[in-house]
Structure formats: C-alpha cells, structure tokens
Amino acid sequence: MALSASLLLRQSQSLVMTPQLLQSIQLLQMTHLELNQFIAAEIEKNPLLDLASPETDDASEPRSAEQSAPRGEQDGADDGRSSNLDASDDWYESRPEVAAARLQEIDQGFENVFPDDRPAAKADVPELLGQWKSMTGAQSGDDYDLEDFAAAPMTLAEHLGQQVPFLLKSATELLIAEHLIDAVDQAGYFAGSTADIAERLGVDRQQAEAVLTALQTLDPPGVMARSLRECLAIQLKQRDRLDPAMKLLVDNLDLLARRDFTSLRRLCGVSEEDLLDMLAEIRTLNPKPGDSFERHAAEPVAPDVVVRPGSTGGWMVELNPDTLPRVLVNRQYFQSVSKSCAKHGQEQDFLAECLQSANWLTRSLDQRAKTILKVATEIVRQQDAFLVHGVDHLRPLTLKAVAEAIKMHESTVSRVTSNKYMLTPRGMFELKYFFSVSIGSSEDGGDAHSAEAVRHRIRALIDQESADAILSDDDIVISLKKGGVDLARRTVAKYREAMNIPSSVQRRREKRAMARLAAV
C-alpha cells in the first residue's frame, strides 16, 4: 500500500468556551451584590467603562425651557405681588424686592417693633446653609441622611469589655479576659478553650478558669457559658432559683426536648404542679444571651423582580432598577485618546481590547436583564393562581417546563433563578420557591398538587389541632385524601420532619403542658 499526502476539507460544529462566553454565563447566576463587585473591578481596570448612577443621570440631563427660565419670565413681566409671592421662591431669596414684598404681605416686618432684632442679610443665609452642609458632609442640593449621625450599634465584645474593669483589677486577669471575650460567638457562648488560651499566655489553666467564671457573672445573664445547660444554670443561679430539683431538670434537657414529662417528674422528685412551675421558669430564660447584639449589620434582601397588579387586569412584571447597574462605554474618551496614540502600537492595541471588552460587558448585562425578565414573566404566568389565592394554589413547576416555554436551555433557567428574588403582593420569594415537584391527586383526572402547597396544608392541619385531638400521620393522610391529595404516610412523616414538627406523641405532651400552664 503506497503512502501519500493529501488535503481534506472537513466541516464540523463545536462549542468553544471563550472567555467572553464564560463571563456571560457567570453574570447570569450572580446576585446584584456580586454583580456590583464584579463591575467595580472591571471599571477599575478598564478606563473606557463608566458607571452611571441615577443622580448623575438627573444632573446631566438638560433642563427644559420651563425649568431653566425664571418664574417672572415664564408668566410675563413682574407685575407685583402675584409673581413676587409665588410659592416657588425660597424664603431667603436674594432679590430684595421679593423679600420685602413677602414680609409686607404677611405683616412680619418686626424691625420697627424690635430695632435690635433685625433679620440677617439675605446673603448670610445661603452662606450659613453652606457651612452647615460642609460640616455634616451633605452635598449641595442633597438631603442629609440621619444614619450619618447615628452611633454604631455596640457589639457584644464591646459591651463585655466595658464591664471588665469593674470586675477584674490585675493586668494578668485583664489580659486573660480580653482573650476569653475574643472567643465568644454571636449567641454569647464561649467557643474557645481555656487550656489553649492559658498555654498561649503562659498562665495556669486554673487562673483562666477562674477568670471565665468571673466573666460569667456579667451582663447579659448567661453570657460566656460553654453549653446550653451551663447558660440556663447561670441564669437560674443569678435568680437564686437553682435548687436541687431545678438542677436535675437542667441536667436532663434531652428529656425536656422529647417532652418526656413523666420521666422528668420522677427524676426531679416533684409533683406535677411543681414541674409545671419549673417549666414556666425555664421558658423565661434566654438560651442565646448574645442575640440582642449584632456583630455584623444585616444586609436586607433587595428584589430583582417586582410584580404588581396591572391597571387593566393581569400582572405587571418589572425589573428592579436598584439591582441593575448601568454601565456606559465612554466612546468620547476613546476617540480623544486614540488620536494621540500611534496607529500601530501597544497603546492602540490596549485601547482596542478595552473597547471590545466594554462592549461585550454592556451587551452581556443587557442580555442578563432580558433573560431574568423573560424567566420571571413565565413564572408569573404559570403561578397566577398563587398570586391571587395563596400557597394552596401553588402549581407544580419544573425548570424544564419554563425552559421549553421561553425557548431556552434548562441550565440557563437554573442559573437565572439562583439567588434571585421576586417581590409580589404575597411577599418576597426566591425564584426557586416557585419550582416544586408534582404530587398526584386522589381523584381520577384531578389536578396535580405542588409539594410546597401540600406542606402548607400539613402545617395548617397541625396548627389547628387541639390537645385532646392530636392528629397522627395516618390521620393527616386521611385528611389530605379528602382534600384531593394522595400521599403516603412515610411521605407525610418526611415532610413533617423537614418542617421541624415533632411527632404526635411529643405534640400531645407539649400541648397538654401548655394547657395546664395556661390554667395555672
């Protein structure tokens, strides 16, 4: 067989993951906070990108003829009191005739009655106003923010640190206390190790334990405890309520969690009435004494999509402009800089690359906004009954169904619905909330039910039960079947446990105890 060289022309299709395509995919699943951070990084390294804010847009827009012209020129010549006393004029108007006419009209020219109390010159008022704005940091024409004057919330570590000097005196104890306080978690519990801290500071472990015991007497009660049992014991001790029976109750919190009141009464050696009093005392304690102090400011969740009723029926689906930053390409700057650069050089290549990257980013952001709006509109169309009637009418929905309806890939819909929120008249929900599996109907030909709607029905049935008629899982299955939902008992138990709802035996014990406490 002879070997020979030949040229072949072959046509094939392949998907190449370019950096730009990978960037567009990443932008789809970013939250608005991550998107702002990404855009800030891009603006920092790309001189052709600008971030347009609403304030900048308002300031840059030219005013109309009615806005730019003085009121006297709009209405004709200044014919006296009607134009001078117009409500649009400021009270510190620089025109003397306007101010004089205003004072004469409202009869407030008090300089004749009190010669020493003459009003300040009108030119002084804007100056004082400018000084006040410069002191408060407010920009010209902007309102000041009250949060700029509010003190920062005190953290738990700062609160404990203010009390330590009144409790400890020696420098060694103060140093140990500082390291112990640094190991306190957000709930107020000591999450460190006294042995490690003592070894690091070169002191005895007994001394570190003694300092920890002293810190456990600080406010709030129960702080610096190493466990829930110790936290409750500290609070009871400060109330002088830690008697032997109460100590046995605190040592057996696992029985209290299981609502095994019979075993607790036997272990503590008390009557049923005394046990109810002890349980009432336990309920008044704070299991997380540090919750009232915030270490980090909670970031509010901003909706990406806003849904409101339409004026002619239906629903209006809009994107939240606060979560969509506007990125502009500064082409004027590109033209001015490119003129001063050589036609062929590193500077020109750099500018061309920056322009291409900026154009791609703006197109990707625009495509991201359109995709989010398209997916949200389809979700609203599918879940119209939920928006009108509530959770009971939430339909089963899958990513594939939405993807087929809007002619997109299922993975694209999955990225769009991740960490995105929709504000509706029913509240704010994550887009993933509207997707749930389908549960068959107990009737032939009946509509399928959403798993979230079924969980809501189970929760409603349990909330409505009384202490004398506790529903078992079998009873819940029967009730759901009467409502048209065919569900197995093990599925009901799985849903109940996922919602942290105890079993029927535990609920019966708890509700009977609550009824007795209410009667006492």
Side-chain angles (χ1 to χ4, degrees), residues 143-198:
D143 295 332
Y144 66 89
D145 191 355
L146 286 177
E147 294 184 358
D148 296 337
F149 304 93
M154 181 177 296
T155 63
L156 178 61
E158 293 173 349
H159 181 68
L160 296 176
Q162 292 180 354
Q163 305 175 63
V164 169
F166 300 96
L167 182 67
L168 306 174
K169 300 301 181 183
S170 67
T172 303
E173 292 178 340
L174 292 174
L175 182 61
I176 296 174
E178 181 180 355
H179 284 75
L180 292 175
I181 291 176
D182 289 340
V184 176
D185 60 12
Q186 191 170 359
Y189 288 87
F190 176 68
S193 173
T194 55
D196 295 341
I197 294 177

Side-chain angles (χ1 to χ4, degrees), residues 376-390:
T377 303
E378 180 62 23
I379 291 176
V380 171
R381 189 186 70 82
Q382 296 276 1
Q383 301 292 354
D384 176 74
F386 162 77
L387 297 175
V388 176
H389 302 289

